[in-house]
Amino acid sequence: MYNFYSLWRKPWLLFGLFCGLLFTANTLASPPSSGWLTSAEAPHLSVKLTLTGQYDATSRVLPATLQVQLADDWKTYWQAPGEGGVAPSLQWSESQSITNLDWFWPAPYRYMVQGFATQGYQKNVTFPLQLQLASGATSGILQGVLTMPSCTTVCLLTDFALDLPFDLSTLQADEEQVFLFSQAMSKVPKALAGVQIQQAGLTANPGQILIKMTREHTWITPEIFIHSNDDALADVVYQVAVPKVSGADLSVMVTASHWLDLPTLAGKTLTITITDQDFAAAYPVTLTASTLATTDSAPSLLLILLLALAGGLILNIMPCVLPVIGIKLQGLLLSKPQQTSTIRKQFLASALGIVASFWLLAIVLSLLKWSGESIGWGIQFQNPYFIGVMILVTWLFTLNLAGAFELRLPGSLGTWAATKGNNSYAGHFLQGMLATVLATPCTAPFLGTAVAFALSADIATILLIFTALGIGMALPWLLLAALPQLSGWLPKPGRWLCWVKPIFANMMFATSIWLLSLLTPFIGKVAFGLLLSALLLLTLLVMARTFGLKIMLYLSSALVLLGAALGAVLLLTAASWQQVLPADHSWQTLSEQHIQTAVEAGNLVFVDVTADWCITCKANKIGVMLQQPVFDALAAPDVLRLRGDWTLRNPAVSQYLQSNNTFGVPFNKVYGPAAPAGIALPTLLTTDAVLQAMEQARDHTN
């Protein structure tokens, strides 16, 4: 028989026995848990359901936590997923002794997935749950299937089988799980004091809801999320516009939509979830049946269409389009007298080319939006291959204007370009398309509002608004098509016309060189210099083959002498007219964290989002930002200057633009203690607009 007394003589055996008993006791005391569950079909996703072990016999509530871990940039959804996706769900009907299960949702974040605005979580999230036990229950089983969605560029639905028995007589509270549950519940928005919902009702536009609220403190970067627990509104999607903030006051327009017929919203209860940095709260509201005034609502589609027409019309006087207008004018001046019907058809062909180009832009931007790519006005100039094609097209037009197409370029390219560049209807159509493409680096007034509205809407609205933009730009051509006799007002042909084609050819060649300069960020300055030299040399060779080497030598010598003489005159008279622009300020890279930190410190922030290919950006810089008194105002010690460069594809800049409900450059905004949400400046800057915004954003209480 074994002598247990001998154990006392072997302390290490006693210590091992004690540790084993302690581990066994601790294991038995651990609350029931599913452990980490994974699936071979979704290796990026892990879930774990654990009871806290803390049971309230009075309310018969047993708390639990559902932990979700997502790898890389995978995301899961909130209870209202947004424009796409489905919410996580737990089917627990097979459970025993459980009469109800309450699922609580931490404050979500907003993401763009495949071009859709979605709401959910990334990386890790913990959902607190509360199990309601049946009266008199002493044990039970949580049994069912957890369906967990996860998305990146693809979306998956993964099912996890749950079988979690529990016995209340042996259940003990686990401090770690109790803390995890309490921490998760603290992230669930609740109705907090200090915020008052002033208005929540329907506007005159179907499905539009206007919400106004105020709080004790100033709003910084608020986010609004909408959901409803009403079964009748289960499939309603709520598109939330960018909130308008003025100190402690906030208003936001919400558009409700349904894949079938939108149910009646009047009298329904919605829950408004508001997050603002560390603040997260939720407030139930009942939508009023009365129609609210729409003065603070989003602009109507009719107004946007009128702005699109005006913006497209103004594009005709932007410098980007002038070379193509020159082609059209020289065609009118140099063409032989034609019948009225022929002139009308030529202008209609140009107008159709413009509208067709806007349709093409709308389709491409819609596809990019659907795929989840960043979209915006002029983004094609972020592609070096597109710029290269445009250089070739404008160079061919240059040679066409200069009369050099009797020489064939490699293949049939020269013949094709010569054919399309003549007075055929195809040539006029191509001129209209070229005018549209060259117009996209320019941003006319009203254009930004129309494009922003379009690109944040559905595909049908995008096509409608871009059609209005095309018609607006084509209005001069349509006018001349309707009244072709107006072309008779042009000067009569004469010897002076010999100078017309070279002038327009030089305008188009300057466009080619400008486009070539846009390749500098992609290829570097040295490669740009080599390509520019090659382009100049090739142009001279083509022209020499056309007009003769001797004539080109004479012409080149004359141009050099003329340039030297003009340079000497400018140098001698520079003192009387020259205004030397100062060197640009130093700018920091755009960062929303820098904006927040500077504003909290009581400073101003001036944001400039620009691009090298943006003509309007250059005009704003030279005409306003480098001029007095704006230049000195930007140099003030309390001003932080942040610049977002959109020359190349930049997701951070694209996200900032979209968060401000704009999709193009230039974009300028001023932040400050008195305007933490920022004051957006007009597309075409003025001195008064900049100075007034900076003054308004400053804190004048000190």
Side-chain angles (χ1 to χ4, degrees):
M1 183 175 178
Y2 187 79
N3 186 3
F4 288 96
Y5 177 76
S6 63
L7 288 174
W8 294 103
R9 298 181 179 180
K10 300 178 180 178
W12 59 274
L13 285 177
L14 284 174
F15 180 75
L17 180 62
F18 174 77
C19 291
L21 292 173
L22 183 63
F23 175 78
T24 303
N26 184 64
T27 302
L28 292 174
S30 297
S33 174
S34 66
W36 285 106
L37 304 177
T38 58
S39 171
E41 288 75 22
H44 57 274
L45 173 65
S46 303
V47 299
K48 181 181 179 182
L49 179 64
T50 308
L51 302 181
T52 65
Q54 189 178 42
Y55 176 64
D56 186 345
T58 302
S59 61
R60 303 195 309 277
V61 170
L62 183 60
T65 58
L66 174 61
Q67 296 173 260
V68 180
Q69 292 185 349
L70 296 153
D72 302 324
D73 58 348
W74 286 87
K75 307 172 185 67
T76 192
Y77 293 105
W78 188 50
Q79 55 185 324
E83 297 180 24
V86 295
S89 61
L90 177 57
Q91 191 279 325
W92 53 276
S93 59
E94 300 177 2
S95 301
Q96 299 177 15
S97 300
I98 299 175
T99 60
N100 192 35
L101 188 150
D102 291 322
W103 184 314
F104 298 92
W105 303 84
Y109 299 89
R110 187 166 280 116
Y111 303 98
M112 292 298 295
V113 177
Q114 296 293 303
F116 296 99
T118 60
Q119 300 161 169
Y121 316 91
Q122 191 175 16
K123 301 297 184 184
N124 304 321
V125 61
T126 299
F127 298 102
L129 309 177
Q130 286 185 342
L131 313 182
Q132 183 75 42
L133 302 190
S135 178
T138 58
S139 63
I141 299 176
L142 175 58
Q143 191 173 45
V145 176
L146 171 68
T147 301
M148 183 62 58
S150 55
C151 284
T152 53
T153 55
V154 296
C155 291
L156 302 174
L157 286 177
T158 309
D159 290 337
F160 297 95
L162 298 177
D163 189 354
L164 202 63
F166 57 87
D167 188 339
L168 298 181
S169 63
T170 60
L171 206 59
Q172 296 184 21
D174 182 90
E175 291 185 3
E176 182 179 348
Q177 291 301 319
V178 170
F179 174 77
L180 183 63
F181 176 85
S182 300
Q183 186 181 48
M185 284 295 291
S186 69
K187 297 179 180 180
V188 176
K190 305 175 183 65
L192 302 178
V195 173
Q196 180 182 0
I197 306 297
Q198 298 173 313
Q199 200 174 69
L202 304 173
T203 72
N205 299 321
Q208 283 196 338
I209 305 164
L210 177 61
I211 299 171
K212 292 184 177 182
M213 64 184 72
T214 186
R215 66 180 295 195
E216 295 177 350
H217 306 289
T218 299
W219 297 103
I220 306 299
T221 55
E223 288 276 358
I224 307 295
F225 304 89
I226 306 293
H227 78 279
S228 176
N229 295 322
D230 193 323
D231 291 339
L233 306 182
D235 293 325
V236 174
V237 175
Y238 305 93
Q239 294 179 324
V240 182
V242 177
K244 296 180 180 180
V245 175
S246 178
D249 297 325
L250 180 150
S251 66
V252 64
M253 183 61 65
V254 179
T255 302
S257 61
H258 194 279
W259 65 283
L260 290 174
D261 292 329
L262 183 67
T264 301
L265 297 176
K268 299 295 185 181
T269 299
L270 304 181
T271 299
I272 305 172
T273 299
I274 312 111
T275 63
D276 190 7
Q277 297 182 332
D278 295 331
F279 177 85
Y283 304 92
V285 297
T286 300
L287 297 180
T288 58
S290 58
T291 300
L292 301 174
T294 58
T295 52
D296 290 334
S297 64
S300 66
L301 181 58
L302 177 60
L303 176 59
I304 291 297
L305 291 175
L306 292 175
L307 293 176
L309 283 170
L313 178 62
I314 295 174
L315 280 176
N316 285 287
I317 63 173
M318 303 301 282
C320 317
V321 190
L322 288 178
V324 183
I325 294 178
I327 295 176
K328 180 64 67 176
L329 290 177
Q330 72 89 21
L332 287 174
L333 292 171
L334 300 179
S335 62
K336 298 178 181 179
Q338 302 179 74
Q339 294 182 354
T340 300
S341 60
T342 302
I343 297 176
R344 177 177 287 116
K345 291 177 181 178
Q346 289 175 349
F347 280 110
L348 285 175
S350 295
L352 183 58
I354 292 172
V355 175
S357 294
F358 274 97
W359 285 341
L360 184 60
L361 281 173
I363 293 171
V364 171
L365 290 174
S366 298
L367 291 174
L368 288 175
K369 180 182 179 181
W370 177 80
S371 67
E373 292 291 328
S374 62
I375 56 177
W377 182 255
I379 60 170
Q380 65 269 30
F381 284 89
Q382 296 175 349
N383 188 315
Y385 300 106
F386 172 83
I387 297 174
V389 171
M390 289 307 303
I391 293 170
L392 178 61
V393 170
T394 54
W395 184 65
L396 290 175
F397 267 94
T398 299
L399 298 180
N400 182 13
L401 286 167
F405 271 124
E406 53 266 34
L407 279 177
R408 290 193 175 188
L409 296 175
S412 59
L413 187 60
T415 303
W416 177 86
T419 303
K420 303 308 178 190
N422 62 13
N423 283 323
S424 67
Y425 298 135
H428 289 278
F429 181 87
L430 186 61
Q431 290 171 5
M433 295 193 71
L434 181 61
T436 303
V437 174
L438 290 180
T440 51
C442 294
T443 307
F446 314 124
L447 187 67
T449 303
V451 171
F453 187 95
L455 297 184
S456 60
D458 53 63
I459 294 178
T461 305
I462 293 176
L463 288 171
L464 182 61
I465 293 175
F466 271 70
T467 300
L469 286 168
I471 294 174
M473 187 173 175
L475 277 178
W477 314 119
L478 293 173
L479 177 62
L480 289 169
L483 301 171
Q485 60 269 26
L486 294 178
S487 61
W489 294 3
L490 293 173
K492 300 300 180 183
R495 297 187 63 182
W496 62 275
L497 286 179
C498 297
W499 298 94
V500 171
K501 291 186 69 173
I503 291 174
F504 290 147
N506 284 324
M507 290 174 60
M508 187 58 71
F509 191 56
T511 303
S512 300
I513 295 176
W514 167 68
L515 288 168
L516 185 62
S517 69
L518 299 184
L519 289 177
T520 304
F522 301 96
I523 62 177
K525 294 182 179 179
V526 174
F528 163 71
L530 293 174
L531 283 178
L532 177 60
S533 301
L535 182 65
L536 293 172
L537 181 60
L538 184 59
T539 303
L540 288 174
L541 289 176
V542 172
M543 299 302 291
R545 290 282 302 272
T546 303
F547 300 105
L549 180 61
K550 184 178 294 186
I551 294 177
M552 289 308 302
L553 288 175
Y554 288 151
L555 180 60
S556 300
S557 302
L559 289 176
V560 171
L561 292 174
L562 180 61
L566 182 60
V569 171
L570 294 177
L571 185 62
L572 293 174
T573 61
S576 61
W577 58 266
Q578 186 180 26
Q579 181 182 0
V580 179
L581 292 176
D584 195 7
H585 296 292
S586 59
W587 294 76
Q588 296 187 33
T589 302
L590 175 61
S591 165
E592 298 202 42
Q593 182 60 44
H594 289 165
I595 295 174
Q596 177 183 334
T597 302
V599 171
E600 290 176 350
N603 295 321
L604 291 186
V605 180
F606 187 93
V607 172
D608 177 37
V609 185
T610 183
D612 288 349
W613 42 261
C614 173
I615 299 296
T616 314
C617 302
K618 303 293 185 184
N620 283 343
K621 180 179 178 180
I622 296 173
V624 178
M625 295 169 62
L626 295 182
Q627 301 289 341
Q628 297 294 357
V630 173
F631 183 80
D632 284 347
L634 293 176
D638 67 334
V639 176
L640 174 64
R641 298 174 298 276
L642 300 179
R643 177 165 285 165
D645 190 351
W646 215 39
T647 302
L648 307 180
R649 185 177 180 273
N650 189 323
V653 175
S654 299
Q655 182 178 359
Y656 175 79
L657 289 173
Q658 292 181 21
S659 68
N660 283 276
N661 198 33
T662 190
F663 294 85
V665 290
F667 180 75
N668 299 96
K669 199 169 186 179
V670 178
Y671 299 82
I679 302 171
L681 296 174
T683 300
L684 297 178
L685 293 181
T686 64
T687 299
D688 290 342
V690 174
L691 297 180
Q692 288 175 8
M694 295 179 71
E695 183 66 17
Q696 183 180 344
R698 277 195 168 90
D699 184 1
H700 298 284
T701 59
N702 297 327

